[in-house]
Amino acid sequence: MSYAAYKMKHWPTGIEHCAAGFITHCPSDAAAFSAPAPGPAASPSGAESDADSSAAARRPRRLGPTPNLVVAAANVLEVYAVRADAAPAEDGAAFDGILGARLELVCHYRLHGNVESMAVLSDGAENRRDSIALAFRDAKITCLEFDDAIYGLRTSSMHCFEGPEWQHLKRGRESFAWGPVIKSDPLGRCGAALIYGLQMAILKAAQVGQSLVGEDEPTRALSSSAVRVESSYLIDLRALETNHVKDFTFVHGYIEPVLVILHEREPTWAGRISSKHHTCMISAFSISMTLKQHPVIWSAANLPHDAYQILSVPPPISGVLVVCANSIHYHSQSTSCSLALNNFSSQPDGSPEIPKLNFHVELDAAKATWLSNDIVMFSTKTGEMLLLTVVYDGRTVRRLDLMKSKASVISSGATTIGSSFFFLGSRLGDSLLVQFSCGVATSVLPDLIDERSGDIEGDLPFAKRLKRVPSDVLQDVTSVEELSFQNNILPNSIESAQKISYVVRDKLINVGPLKDFSYGLRVNADANATGNAKQSNYELVCCSGHGKNGSLSVLQQSIRPDLITEVELPSCRGIWTVYYKSSRAHTTEDNEYHAYLIISLENRTMVLETGDDLGEVTETVDYYVQGATIAAGNLFGRRRVIQVYATGARVLDGSFMTQELNFTAHSSESSSSSSELLGVASASIADPYVLLKMVDGTIQLLVGDHSTCALSISVPSIFTNLSEKVSACTLYRDRGPEPWLRKTRSDAWLSSGIAEPIDGSGSSSQEQSDIYCIICYESGKLEIFEVPSFRCVFSVESFLSGEALLVDAKGRQDDTKVSLKKEVADSIRVVELAMHRWSGQFSRPFLFGLLNDGTFLCYHAYCYEGLESNVKDNSFSPAGSVDLASASDSRLKNLRFHRISVDITLREDISSLARPRITIFNNVGGYEGLFLSGTRPVWVMVCRQRFRVHPQLCDGPIEAFTVLHNVNCCHGLIYVTSQGFLKICQLPEAYNYDNYWPVQKIPLHGTPHQVTYYAEQSLYPLIVSVPVVRPLNQVLSIMADQDLVHHMDNDATSADDLQKTYTVEEFEVRVLELEKPSGRWETRSTIPMQSFENALTVRIVTLHNTTTKENETLMAIGTAYVQGEDVAARGRVLLFSFTKSENSQNLVTEVYSKESKGAVSAVASLQGHLLIAAGPKITLSKWTGSELTAVAFYDAPLHVVSLNIVKNFVLFGDIHKSVYFLSWKEQGSQLTLLAKDFGSLDCFATEFLIDGSTLNLAVSDSDKNLQIFYYAPKMVESWKGQKLLSRAEFHVGAHLTKFMRLQMLPSPGLASEKTNRFALLFGTLDGGIGCIAPIDELTFRRLQSLQRKLVDAVPHVCGLNPRSFRQFKSNGKAHRPGPDNIIDFELLAHYEMLSLEEQLDIAQQIGTTRAQILSNFADISLGTSFL
């Protein structure tokens, strides 16, 4: 292998940064976002996001405007909207007037760079939006704002301080511990970024009324503009004598922006505290951006050396809190006070005693967010939540009060979202959305409402709202000044913190940090699967999380449904389940059971009853059973069933036919044979209409009549003499209390609010529905019509080219449209369309198109009120011509669609007469979405308005799919495989599908370290450590020598010292098993370690027993004693055997244990011998059945972190000295060094990469790079074979902690290639999973030239350059650049999102074809679908 491909399979989930801001809407619009309480008029799903003022008035009292949540996980940026459901006033179950809240995705991006820091630029105005400022490694800052026209983020400014002209800023340094840190001024006047540790970049915001883009006045007036950055300049902090900056922030309450910097005058460390302490200080600089001056206005010195964070206190208090590990200090220009948190806090000599807490807590690495203007919440390093109340009087702070609150996830960031929610982002556990409330007695709430309008109520901080409670102290306090003055009634202020209550509303799943994983069989694995289907027998069992958030994550890339029953059923062409509701029975729609299952075979149709069991009733029903069925469904509110077959249709009431229709050709030319029967190609059903597409490409519509439950055929007049054929069509039913598409009309304000009861069956008048017909012609033009009037309301010239945005083409005819290259345009057409809007009050419709080359287009609708259209209308419609205006007004002028990337590789030719592939489901195991059948079937689940794509490989191609809900199969599914089996299944319940891969998390309540798999009994040995609190004297006595303890006893006279405790991690090895039927994880056996003994590695090894001459499979554990730096390191090697019998008490028995010098950090089996890395020595031992005898050894440099073995070759990675490549010779029994890498490298993981007969060595390092080496003794530059040569190098942007070598699967394009090909699956500390796969030179050259084109052809988010991101980062160490032989699929993925014209164009420029490129993509994707 000379070439490799890098492909991410599961993107990072560990959230590192979170912030809240009004990104997609400004605060004045936000009132409409929270749903009103379902009153008499509004139905439970409530008003839509552009609800009128009545909705705003009824919204929950507490919920002020809720901002968006922006989160960043490594290089993934996501923007969410918080959706809260209001409870009806009398509902007691609701918490604070809210029934529930969830996060819904607005947009997400994968960036070419890791987000180092994030801030939201906000000027606090009611009608301005906020911008997101992101900082990237070295010194790049990008500001993003939300653009309604594209429904996504757009870069508004970029600031880069890198490159030769800014080289002087580094002052000769090469490596920096942190990337840039960015903060923003609370009033949005500027932002500040600390780059290279000593340079402060000030980003000046544009004044309101000025903007970079020359927009006209009306534009800005209509759409709320976002905060923009106008210019930037640098302040050199060394000139201000602030070296060693630790943190900085902007403070409130000054006329100009004031920046407070926490810095250390002279650094110190824990070993020098006795002579040098209190080295930190804070300085406040007033930033004058016009003069570019920054005088110091106040400062405070003598802060503890462990100060690390500075928080700005909101008004009316203002000032800053300095957070240290052992104390908290408040400072402002006039006052200061402090609070000691434990016994380690000290104060400078001669200063007054500072108040202490009555409990001990350490605050290092805590994250903080303000819940109200005087309560700040800390999330500590153990996951506890602490509330700090700033007790103040006027503007002087009296004291600080800290109290314990609940415990939650160990967080990496916290942010308050509006007035009722906060979000805890976490890298080590699931991130939580929490609703909080400052417990006001409920009886008081109604009295509060009348005093002021609802808006102020939402914006008042809690402490003020508490004061509005009628009581003796506060009789008629109305004005704000008195409120803030009364605010310091001391008991109240502390009480407010005690009364805060929480409820977790939503969580975002995180599987990181992946420390280790193993690859084992699933519970429902199928033993006789072959080929690619065999892969879905496996799952990845990962160690993820830390401490109390530690868990075992079980990940599967493909879904394998749980089989209930299967029947052999050859040559099946389609299946449908239908409801049958007699007029008497009233059941809720959601839970109604299906009545019949209709199965269409090649030339007949079967009908089954889906009662207690499936019974065939084909003979006794009036269904058309002599031929194949094309479609079946329900009409007239589920009271009738419609069955469409090739030459006609039948309407059935239960099992009795009420009407039969035959289809004839309606063409005027062939008058002689006008009565001949005409075949139906496909049908789409939307109650009460049925749309038919005939074999000759014409269209017919069946119109239903609710009163008679009968259908009549009508051919829309506009389709009688079409010039071109229809290639695909579908019906879309837009339903709900307020159908969504109506809002996109230009006359939306006229039509909304008029309820028209549509069906005579007395259904509620709120539920309205409009039917639309979507048609795509062979030319690729798409049109949307209203049904039944067939007025065109939306049209797009070229749907099949897959443009990023679809905009209504009427009134915008431009002749500059590039025509597609003819030979391609003729061959590509749309074969299937679907449009659907899933449940959820704020959901918007999706539009899907399937092309005949297997491309799956997916669009999401949104509403954009463009300006140019309104202006044009006024110009050409004078007051008289009403008809002209109405014709243009009825169009869905504000409707737009934006394309969504879905990672689906279908790549197969689909004939235009093929069976429909897209099946939409609304409830399968509680999930909704669509199923795409075909050769590579795939589930697309809709969770939080985003697509989760999960393939299903286990049965090969799937012909047909439908949902089934009955007594024995609750919300299940039926599908038919191409081998002719009909399977009735359910989705496995244990898994959560709202993740990149389906995941099941098993909490361990400890930190998992390493896991391995014992295949014979499907057991998973796992190292877990649990923190245990021990008395201090017990800890010391174990650690130290006895005479030292004796000496200590004399000193420690005070009882206080003896009661101190210390937390130690206790290690154990648990053997877990996944129980077969139940799918629960059980601990079968636990092996505890001794005190202070850390288990470092556990592996299953196969050893050759020299006495019995047989091979034995044993579990080997390597440990180390951690006793401080005064005791020589030692460790143990433990061997355990597994008992074969089922009923024995002990699953594992210890067969060997021996102490060794040095920590045993890795073990492996090498040709029946055991290879042990103990300290800096690698020993090879043979096993006699009771003893290990050393036969060979090799001296490693420092400490071995990983061992890998292939045949008789050994690869090991050292903690600082890169990789070594050894071989083992049996006859001389010696381990010899073949070659090594002479550079210095901090290895994280190593593995062999095998490609046919070539052996390569892959290694990942602490700078988030990946390198591939090879051994070539015949090459001159390898110094006669001593040196490993570099094959390729690549910057991954995440720490790779584990490689696993898996054989690549044969894919159709690579069938002739060598089969002995292995790819490396890797896991990262951010929760990402990806693979490195070898590829042949021809493919590499083709895709590499494509990659170079895409660097320029695609607009990259944040303006980041993918090439510079993927360059090896040596972080200041000497490094010779290696070859660039890895292609990056993260960049190549953009190719499929380009429009068809651009794809063909780029392919032609690099001298290949689009089909060739896409088949290469599919081959690599198929070859690495291991799970």
Side-chain angles (χ1 to χ4, degrees), residues 77 81 228 304 306 336 896:
L77 179 73
R228 297 254 173 98
D306 52 10
S336 68
R896 287 192 177 190

PDB file of all heavy atoms in Angstrom, residues 77 81 228 304 306 336 896:
ATOM      1  N   LEU A  77     -20.026  21.942  14.270  1.00  0.00           N
ATOM      2  CA  LEU A  77     -20.720  23.101  14.834  1.00  0.00           C
ATOM      3  C   LEU A  77     -22.214  22.890  14.629  1.00  0.00           C
ATOM      4  O   LEU A  77     -22.648  22.595  13.513  1.00  0.00           O
ATOM      5  CB  LEU A  77     -20.252  24.376  14.122  1.00  0.00           C
ATOM      6  CG  LEU A  77     -20.903  25.678  14.569  1.00  0.00           C
ATOM      7  CD1 LEU A  77     -20.383  26.076  15.935  1.00  0.00           C
ATOM      8  CD2 LEU A  77     -20.633  26.786  13.575  1.00  0.00           C
ATOM      9  N   ALA A  81     -32.496  25.150  18.320  1.00  0.00           N
ATOM     10  CA  ALA A  81     -33.536  26.010  18.881  1.00  0.00           C
ATOM     11  C   ALA A  81     -34.159  25.264  20.053  1.00  0.00           C
ATOM     12  O   ALA A  81     -34.334  24.049  19.986  1.00  0.00           O
ATOM     13  CB  ALA A  81     -34.601  26.309  17.830  1.00  0.00           C
ATOM     14  N   ARG A 228     -22.237  42.878  13.440  1.00  0.00           N
ATOM     15  CA  ARG A 228     -21.115  42.622  12.532  1.00  0.00           C
ATOM     16  C   ARG A 228     -19.836  43.187  13.123  1.00  0.00           C
ATOM     17  O   ARG A 228     -19.876  44.160  13.848  1.00  0.00           O
ATOM     18  CB  ARG A 228     -21.355  43.331  11.203  1.00  0.00           C
ATOM     19  CG  ARG A 228     -22.562  42.852  10.447  1.00  0.00           C
ATOM     20  CD  ARG A 228     -22.134  42.010   9.275  1.00  0.00           C
ATOM     21  NE  ARG A 228     -23.278  41.404   8.635  1.00  0.00           N
ATOM     22  CZ  ARG A 228     -23.847  41.908   7.555  1.00  0.00           C
ATOM     23  NH1 ARG A 228     -23.408  43.032   7.045  1.00  0.00           N
ATOM     24  NH2 ARG A 228     -24.853  41.284   6.988  1.00  0.00           N
ATOM     25  N   PRO A 304      -4.482  34.607  44.960  1.00  0.00           N
ATOM     26  CA  PRO A 304      -3.781  33.314  45.068  1.00  0.00           C
ATOM     27  C   PRO A 304      -3.222  32.848  43.728  1.00  0.00           C
ATOM     28  O   PRO A 304      -3.748  33.198  42.672  1.00  0.00           O
ATOM     29  CB  PRO A 304      -4.871  32.358  45.555  1.00  0.00           C
ATOM     30  CG  PRO A 304      -5.899  33.208  46.185  1.00  0.00           C
ATOM     31  CD  PRO A 304      -5.859  34.521  45.480  1.00  0.00           C
ATOM     32  N   ASP A 306      -3.431  30.032  42.417  1.00  0.00           N
ATOM     33  CA  ASP A 306      -4.245  29.055  41.692  1.00  0.00           C
ATOM     34  C   ASP A 306      -5.516  29.689  41.117  1.00  0.00           C
ATOM     35  O   ASP A 306      -6.458  28.975  40.796  1.00  0.00           O
ATOM     36  CB  ASP A 306      -4.588  27.868  42.592  1.00  0.00           C
ATOM     37  CG  ASP A 306      -5.205  28.293  43.920  1.00  0.00           C
ATOM     38  OD1 ASP A 306      -5.545  29.489  44.056  1.00  0.00           O
ATOM     39  OD2 ASP A 306      -5.354  27.444  44.809  1.00  0.00           O
ATOM     40  N   SER A 336     -14.333  44.860  47.750  1.00  0.00           N
ATOM     41  CA  SER A 336     -13.863  43.493  47.491  1.00  0.00           C
ATOM     42  C   SER A 336     -14.222  42.638  48.691  1.00  0.00           C
ATOM     43  O   SER A 336     -14.329  43.136  49.814  1.00  0.00           O
ATOM     44  CB  SER A 336     -12.351  43.465  47.266  1.00  0.00           C
ATOM     45  OG  SER A 336     -11.703  43.783  48.473  1.00  0.00           O
ATOM     46  N   ARG A 896     -39.029  28.086   0.011  1.00  0.00           N
ATOM     47  CA  ARG A 896     -37.728  27.699  -0.527  1.00  0.00           C
ATOM     48  C   ARG A 896     -37.346  26.357   0.066  1.00  0.00           C
ATOM     49  O   ARG A 896     -37.838  25.984   1.118  1.00  0.00           O
ATOM     50  CB  ARG A 896     -36.654  28.723  -0.146  1.00  0.00           C
ATOM     51  CG  ARG A 896     -36.766  30.023  -0.900  1.00  0.00           C
ATOM     52  CD  ARG A 896     -35.515  30.844  -0.691  1.00  0.00           C
ATOM     53  NE  ARG A 896     -35.570  32.079  -1.473  1.00  0.00           N
ATOM     54  CZ  ARG A 896     -34.534  32.884  -1.627  1.00  0.00           C
ATOM     55  NH1 ARG A 896     -33.388  32.599  -1.049  1.00  0.00           N
ATOM     56  NH2 ARG A 896     -34.638  33.976  -2.343  1.00  0.00           N
TER      57      ARG A 896
END
